[in-house]
């Protein structure tokens, strides 16, 4: 029986209803995580009953969509702003639900035909497109800013201006990037699932691609689990549990994956100014709250808060060696040690590239009166966090090569001791 014949019924039985369940399940899970995180962050106190729109905007940014800030303060004043941040807890939740829903129908078949898998993915994509349109249209609101009772408030009363700021999703760009995000989730799901069927023409990539892809997903998830344990400990022992839960529900992977790159030796440039702060542990905010752009790396963390931050280096080394060993153990015995090292190095470099693109933050809001900038008295601020990309990728490649070589050597030695019986 051909691959197409054996897999056709399994995929075709799961049509629009199953695709709808997958999409709605992902939206419900992402919306719930975003709503709980925003509630913990105090977003329910926003004026104008804006909470549902803010939740929609959070889900939009979670799939890579763009939310634009705008403002108007009359003829004598002006507002400006910009926002680029991805709440990766919401992103990860949606990716896991969609990946599970996508892989569930054909999971009992060893081989799937490309037309059947393509049709199943197209049904999910069509419904996801409609969901993105709805989210993007719902993610818009305006707020009137109170200038208070100080000099700025007196100026507002004198000249009769009331600053208004708002946000709205860029609908075309949100739809485009959201579909690209979905395609990436579906592709990674096929790459990492050992039980997922592949078209016959792609079976040759299974031995070389799947172990490395699975190793990187396990690395990312393991770092999130470790960060979760640390966050729960902090919430239980150091107070401020609500704020800690807000970080967990909105940006736990942001913190975990940033720490992963810092442990590898990467440097991030950043700055925190004004009333806003990083949605991350307080020490990071303190390191970056300087007049100029500052460096965030192992050295600056150790200098600021003692030697305990060296545990990031140790944790990364243990994680990478463990992942490299598991990757080699899951690969065919015919794969050579140097091949493991190269695959691990390339895979880790690509993973760090993804982290650098997704964890970066850029946010600014400002108010000016009569052309004099930033008189917001607590209304203006900036948050910036961006990686030094090429050095981060180079370090990841070196770490991957070293860990891949070491882990594969241990795995091969273990096989030999077991008499070459494989896994």
């Amino acid at each position: 029986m051909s691959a197409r014949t054996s897999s056709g019924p399994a995929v075709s039985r799961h049509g629009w209803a199953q695709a709808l369940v997958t999409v709605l399940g992902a939206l419900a899970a992402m919306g719930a995580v975003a709503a709980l995180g925003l509630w913990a962050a105090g977003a329910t106190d926003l004026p104008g009953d804006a909470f549902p729109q803010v939740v929609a905007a959070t889900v939009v940014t979670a799939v890579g969509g763009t939310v634009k800030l705008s403002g108007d303060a009359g003829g004598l004043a002006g507002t400006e702003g910009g926002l680029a941040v991805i709440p990766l807890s919401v992103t990860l939740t949606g990716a896991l639900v969609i990946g599970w829903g996508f892989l569930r129908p054909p999971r009992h078949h060893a081989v799937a035909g490309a037309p059947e898998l393509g049709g199943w993915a197209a049904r999910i994509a069509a419904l996801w497109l409609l969901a993105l349109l709805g989210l993007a249209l719902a993610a818009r609101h305006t707020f009137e800013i109170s200038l208070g009772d100080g000099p700025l408030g007196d100026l507002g009363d004198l000249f009769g201006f009331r600053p208004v700021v708002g946000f709205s999703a860029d609908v075309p760009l949100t739809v485009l990037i959201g579909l690209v995000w979905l395609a990436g989730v579906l592709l990674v799901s096929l790459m990492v699932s050992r039980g997922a069927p592949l078209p016959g023409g792609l079976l040759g990539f299974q031995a070389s691609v799947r172990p490395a892809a699975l190793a990187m997903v396990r690395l990312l998830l393991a770092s999130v689990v470790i960060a979760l344990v640390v966050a729960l400990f902090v919430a239980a022992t150091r107070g401020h549990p609500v704020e800690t839960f807000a970080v967990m529900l909105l940006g736990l992977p942001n913190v975990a994956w940033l720490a992963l790159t810092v442990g590898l030796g990467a440097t991030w440039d950043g700055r925190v100014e004004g009333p806003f702060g990083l949605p991350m542990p307080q020490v990071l905010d303190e390191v970056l709250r300087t007049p100029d752009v500052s460096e965030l790396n192992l050295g600056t963390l150790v200098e600021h808060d003692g030697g305990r931050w060296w545990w990031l280096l140790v944790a990364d080394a243990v994680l990478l060696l463990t992942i490299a060993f598991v990757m080699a153990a899951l690969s065919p015995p015919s794969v050579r040690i140097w091949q493991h090292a190269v695959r691990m190095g390339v895979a880790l470099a690509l993973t760090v590239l993804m982290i650098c693109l997704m964890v970066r933050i850029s946010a600014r809001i400002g108010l000016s009166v009569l052309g004099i900038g930033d008189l917001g008295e607590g209304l203006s601020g900036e948050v910036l966090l961006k990686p030094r990309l090429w050095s981060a990728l180079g370090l990841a490649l070196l770490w991957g090569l070293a860990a891949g070589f070491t882990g594969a050597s241990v795995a091969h030695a273990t096989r030999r001791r077991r008499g070459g019986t494989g896994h």
Side-chain angles (χ1 to χ4, degrees):
M1 183 177 289
S2 69
R4 179 186 179 106
T5 303
S6 63
S7 61
V11 181
S12 62
R13 281 201 308 269
H14 296 77
W16 291 102
Q18 289 76 11
L20 182 62
V21 169
T22 297
V23 172
L24 290 181
L27 289 178
M30 296 173 77
V33 172
L36 288 172
L38 291 168
W39 168 80
T44 53
D45 297 330
L46 290 172
D49 297 323
F51 187 69
Q53 292 88 341
V54 174
V55 171
T58 302
V59 177
V60 164
T61 58
V63 298
T66 300
V67 174
K68 300 179 293 185
L69 300 183
S70 60
D72 179 45
L76 299 176
T79 58
E80 60 173 344
L83 175 67
V85 58
I86 301 177
L88 289 177
S89 292
V90 183
T91 304
L92 182 60
T93 300
L96 292 174
V97 174
I98 287 180
W100 178 83
F102 175 63
L103 295 176
R104 188 170 181 273
R107 68 189 185 281
H108 296 305
H109 290 251
V111 180
E116 287 77 21
L117 279 177
W120 175 227
R123 286 190 281 274
I124 295 177
L127 295 173
W128 184 247
L129 171 62
L130 297 177
L132 289 172
L133 282 171
L135 282 171
L137 293 174
R140 58 183 66 233
H141 198 80
T142 57
F143 309 87
E144 183 175 303
I145 299 179
S146 173
L147 298 178
D149 299 325
L152 193 60
D154 295 337
L155 282 174
D157 294 336
L158 177 64
F159 293 107
F161 63 82
R162 291 290 183 270
V164 175
V165 297
F167 64 87
S168 61
D170 186 326
V171 177
L173 193 58
T174 294
V175 170
L176 176 61
I177 298 179
L179 288 175
V180 173
W181 177 86
L182 176 67
V185 169
L186 300 183
L187 179 60
V188 171
S189 299
L190 280 177
M191 290 171 59
V192 303
S193 176
R194 300 180 67 193
L198 290 176
L202 297 180
L203 290 177
F205 294 95
Q206 184 164 319
S208 59
V209 174
R210 271 189 171 165
L214 181 58
M216 292 303 103
V217 170
R218 286 175 169 173
L219 173 65
L220 293 175
L221 293 179
S223 63
V224 171
V225 171
I226 293 172
L228 176 61
V229 173
V230 173
L232 291 174
F233 176 79
V234 170
T237 60
R238 299 191 180 182
H240 307 291
V242 175
E243 293 83 352
T244 303
F245 279 113
V247 174
M248 289 166 52
L249 290 165
L250 293 175
L252 186 64
N254 300 65
V255 178
W257 298 342
L258 173 65
L260 178 66
T261 64
V262 170
L264 296 177
T267 295
W268 293 68
D269 294 318
R271 185 187 184 204
V272 177
E273 177 191 23
F276 312 115
L278 287 172
M280 294 181 180
Q282 183 65 26
V283 63
L284 303 185
D285 185 277
E286 294 172 356
V287 169
L288 298 178
R289 194 172 288 277
T290 56
D292 299 316
V293 175
S294 302
E295 294 182 354
L296 176 65
N297 53 35
L298 270 178
T300 56
L301 285 173
V302 170
E303 180 182 349
H304 182 83
D305 201 31
R308 62 178 178 173
W309 288 99
W310 287 112
W311 68 263
L312 290 176
L313 175 65
V314 177
D316 276 10
V318 173
L319 272 176
L320 288 176
L321 288 173
T322 303
I323 292 297
F325 173 81
V326 174
M327 172 183 162
L330 293 176
S331 300
S334 58
V335 179
R336 298 178 180 178
I337 292 177
W338 69 266
Q339 291 175 310
H340 282 294
V342 170
R343 292 171 185 175
M344 180 79 177
V346 172
L348 186 59
L350 292 175
T351 301
V352 168
L353 174 61
M354 181 274 295
I355 293 173
C356 290
L357 294 177
M358 298 185 71
V359 174
R360 62 176 63 206
I361 297 174
S362 176
R364 172 173 171 76
I365 186 169
L367 171 67
S368 63
V369 180
L370 298 175
I372 303 175
D374 286 353
L375 297 178
E377 296 186 352
L379 300 177
S380 301
E382 179 182 21
V383 177
L384 174 69
L385 185 66
K386 61 180 181 178
R388 294 185 183 177
L389 184 60
W390 293 112
S391 61
L393 296 182
L395 287 167
L397 180 62
L398 292 175
W399 271 90
L401 289 171
F405 184 88
T406 305
S409 299
V410 175
H412 280 231
T414 302
R415 282 198 183 109
R416 285 194 299 269
R417 285 197 300 269
R418 293 178 179 177
T421 57
H423 311 315

